[in-house]
Amino acid sequence: MDDRSWMYRDSPQGLQRMDYCNGVQGFVNFTTSIPRNFIGGGIRCPCRKCQNKKYLHPDVVMMHLLHKGFMENYQFWYAHGEVFVSERRMEETMVGSTSSASNVYEATNDNTNPYRNMVMDAMRMNQGNVSQCPIVEEKPNADAARFFDLLKDSDEPLWDGCTNHNKLLTVAQVFTMKSDHGLSEARYDKIIEWARSILPEGNRLKKKFYAAKSIMKPLGLGYQKIDIYSNFCMLYYLKNAEMTECMTCGHSCYKPRTDRGKTIVAYKKFRYFPITPRLQRLFMSLRTTEYMTWHQAHHAVDGVMVHPSDGEVWKRFNNVHPHFSAESRNVRLGLCTDGFNPF
């Protein structure tokens, strides 16, 4: 990232410097060029008083920055979408002493360690407050601390002297094998027990499934368990979550309790993977955000359909819903059931 020391020149001397005024103008130009930054006609104000908590008119934000200065530790404009834009767009909108997108890309993505990038993408999605971003030098809160632990795991070798496997990489790969081959937790633990026996002493491979699962949990993208009736009549969800009998057939949702059982157990459970955080993750990663907006960025060739956006149905949708189609990040979803009844 280019030097942004201009942001923190002491007042009033700093306000008299042309580079500071140019930098503030560049910041406002950059921020207002991204539609997602506007809420109720205003943008977040990063001055020392507002600290990104208030949405104000861009002209008011400029005046605040000129008179009050930037909040501490905000050289990286995370809350104003700096990680979302392409290199060309940043270079076109920035003026004065501002950073280029290539430097931002290098600062946020170390391509030599894709698992570190995965942690950084998760942090950008889960930490809505810029004060919890890893660039900030203040003491992290509990949520941010878990991400710092993940970053440590992504750099820590599996054992001292190991050069091709780190702690996070190994757990992720073993989890993938468990999923691909349908291994039970007991079989997973047996394989790990055997693997630890042939690894060098002091290796950092977790012994049990639940211990390894705790490493991956801060990455987010979990699922929600929902009780369902065994004949799939209904979901016990939202307003029906407290019901105990099926409203269609009257059968109980839960298995009969035994003398020792204190917890009610549903006949079946449905695992719901929320789609919103998964779509957010695609836009948080600099590797995938380009593909998510490719439908609008690519150049169509007459007579050749290389994407559904080249088809008549897509174009008709754009004409019917121009406000929706104007934002390239708006997602069109298609449902592929593969035999499963979603209704």
Side-chain angles (χ1 to χ4, degrees), residues 285-334:
S285 173
L286 290 174
R287 283 192 175 85
T288 55
T289 186
E290 177 183 357
Y291 301 111
M292 292 297 292
T293 58
W294 189 82
H295 63 273
Q296 193 171 35
H298 82 287
H299 298 287
V301 180
D302 293 339
V304 179
M305 185 174 179
V306 297
H307 188 273
S309 60
D310 299 328
E312 292 300 325
V313 175
W314 191 292
K315 294 176 181 178
R316 174 171 173 76
F317 181 89
N318 289 348
N319 292 331
V320 176
H321 304 282
H323 181 72
F324 180 90
S325 59
E327 174 52 67
S328 62
R329 289 189 297 267
N330 285 338
V331 179
R332 296 162 172 83
L333 299 176

Side-chain angles (χ1 to χ4, degrees), residues 52-71:
N52 281 328
K53 297 177 182 178
K54 294 182 179 181
Y55 286 86
L56 304 175
H57 190 275
D59 292 341
V60 178
V61 172
M62 182 178 293
M63 292 302 299
H64 278 209
L65 294 176
L66 289 175
H67 289 281
K68 302 175 184 178
F70 282 84
M71 59 186 284

Side-chain angles (χ1 to χ4, degrees), residues 132-202:
Q132 298 168 353
C133 183
I135 296 174
V136 178
E137 296 179 357
E138 63 188 29
K139 183 178 180 180
N141 61 21
D143 291 333
R146 284 193 286 269
F147 280 102
F148 286 122
D149 290 339
L150 268 180
L151 287 174
K152 179 181 177 182
D153 290 339
S154 68
D155 291 329
E156 189 174 18
L158 188 58
W159 66 86
D160 294 337
C162 178
T163 59
N164 58 353
H165 281 81
N166 60 58
K167 189 176 177 180
L168 183 61
L169 164 65
T170 305
V171 172
Q173 289 181 335
V174 177
F175 266 46
T176 300
M177 288 187 286
K178 178 184 183 301
S179 176
D180 290 345
H181 300 285
L183 299 177
S184 65
E185 294 178 15
R187 290 181 177 179
Y188 175 94
D189 290 343
K190 283 291 185 182
I191 293 175
I192 295 300
E193 181 182 355
W194 170 79
R196 284 177 55 86
S197 68
I198 62 175
L199 290 175
E201 290 290 335

